[in-house]
Amino acid sequence: MIKDKSIWIRNVYYMLSYAFEILKKNNYEHIAREEFDHIQDLFAEILYKGVSAQLKRGLHREYVGRMENLSVLKGRLDIRGSISNRIRCQNMLCCEYDELSENNRFNQILKATLSLLLHEKSVSPIRKAQLKQLMPFFSGIDEINLHTIRWNGLIYQKNNQAYRMLMNVCYFIIDGMLMTNESGNYRMTTFSDEHMNRLFERFVLEYYRVHHRELSPNPDKIEWDICRENPQVIDFLPTMQSDIVLHWNNQSLIIDTKYYTHSLQRHFDKATIHSANLYQIFTYVKNLDIENSGRVSGLLLYAKTDEDISPNLTAIFGKNRIMVRTLDLNQNFSVIASQLEKFVEEIKS
């Protein structure tokens, strides 16, 4: 099976399918059985299937503001524009109105991403041919400057929920671009550590949400366990936002997921756990366990890399257990699921 950044590309699809439930539906299910040489090839197939399905339903339309000179009033009258028309001896009304249009930000992002993939060398000719079949449906959609996209400004409603997964895939692709080359064309990197880290975190969270709702898996905000008599101090402290917290009876397990090309740091040829990671999970555990009961544990979960040494240890700090484990993503998915189940056994034991 082809690997990209030390992870089987097929397993990247499985992680995406947990992160975005829609990928488990029948329009996408055959993708899990295909081989992909590059991660962009996988994304091209997902976008082709997703956009094709969206075209059958119709591209998302939303109201877009228009201003036009008309012989009859439509919408709101723009006084200044109408007076300007009269000065120029034009017997026209300047009208402002809203019109349902496919030429909105969602479809502009889709068009830009499809265009990028068509110029990406790592996308196979077969999939480029598929993507070309979609482009005529976007002929009325404007080109956009990729650097002006405000991803957190995209608002999802009931009628555009299918775009949520498509926009996330577009984000992974567009955000993975390099600077433009000499000819002004965009080039893309492979799947970066930052992208993989976000996907890895989302995958682990959604896996437990699907299979272990009884553990109430959520990314919880942890409050600082400090004296409240000086509240202004709180304003200067960083927010503690955990990746995942599992709860079972009176036990809690804080999981902090990490994906690095190198899961260990080296100092004078000695391999150690990243100090910032250990300090972080230690701080989370101690501040959540305000009663110092020992019923709060921490887990640093690394994605396994090609390094010879993989962190795998358990230590007791005071009364609290902190574990460091690796999840090998270069295996059949059933084995990956089995590894995740072992962490559940630890909190329930």
Side-chain angles (χ1 to χ4, degrees), residues 35-125:
E35 295 287 346
F36 298 93
D37 292 332
H38 300 279
I39 196 72
Q40 283 83 11
D41 220 19
L42 169 63
F43 285 152
E45 183 67 14
I46 291 174
L47 275 187
Y48 172 70
K49 291 295 182 183
V51 174
S52 296
Q54 189 61 49
L55 287 172
K56 291 178 181 178
R57 294 188 295 266
L59 290 175
H60 170 62
R61 297 194 299 167
E62 59 186 40
Y63 283 102
V64 176
R66 303 286 190 196
M67 180 176 287
E68 190 175 0
N69 291 322
L70 301 171
S71 58
V72 294
L73 180 63
K74 181 178 180 179
R76 299 176 297 277
L77 179 67
D78 181 77
I79 300 297
R80 288 187 177 182
S82 298
I83 292 175
S84 178
N85 288 340
R86 291 291 295 175
I87 292 174
R88 293 196 301 269
C89 297
Q90 295 178 351
N91 192 23
M92 303 287 283
L93 298 175
C94 184
C95 303
E96 292 182 73
Y97 60 94
D98 294 329
E99 183 179 65
L100 269 177
S101 172
E102 295 178 348
N103 189 20
N104 53 65
R105 187 61 78 184
F106 290 95
N107 295 323
Q108 290 167 0
I109 291 173
L110 282 181
K111 180 177 182 178
T113 310
L114 292 173
S115 179
L116 275 177
L117 291 173
L118 284 171
H119 293 87
E120 174 58 30
K121 294 179 180 179
S122 58
V123 176
S124 70

Side-chain angles (χ1 to χ4, degrees), residues 16-35:
L16 284 167
S17 70
Y18 272 94
F20 307 105
E21 186 69 19
I22 192 172
L23 284 175
K24 294 182 180 179
K25 297 184 178 179
N26 55 10
N27 190 50
Y28 299 91
E29 61 183 6
H30 83 282
I31 296 177
R33 300 189 294 269
E34 292 194 27
E35 295 287 346

Side-chain angles (χ1 to χ4, degrees), residues 42 86 108 153 200 206 235 256 277 287 293 316 325 341:
L42 169 63
R86 291 291 295 175
Q108 290 167 0
F200 185 42
E206 294 302 327
D235 297 334
D256 209 36
N277 298 164
N287 280 275
S293 63
I316 304 297
R325 299 285 187 269
E341 291 297 324

Side-chain angles (χ1 to χ4, degrees), residues 7 20 46 90 131 140 188 229 241 243 245 266 270 293 312:
I7 292 186
F20 307 105
I46 291 174
Q90 295 178 351
L131 297 180
M188 287 188 290
E229 294 179 359
Q241 183 67 53
D243 292 346
V245 181
R266 292 189 175 274
K270 179 183 178 182
S293 63
N312 192 337

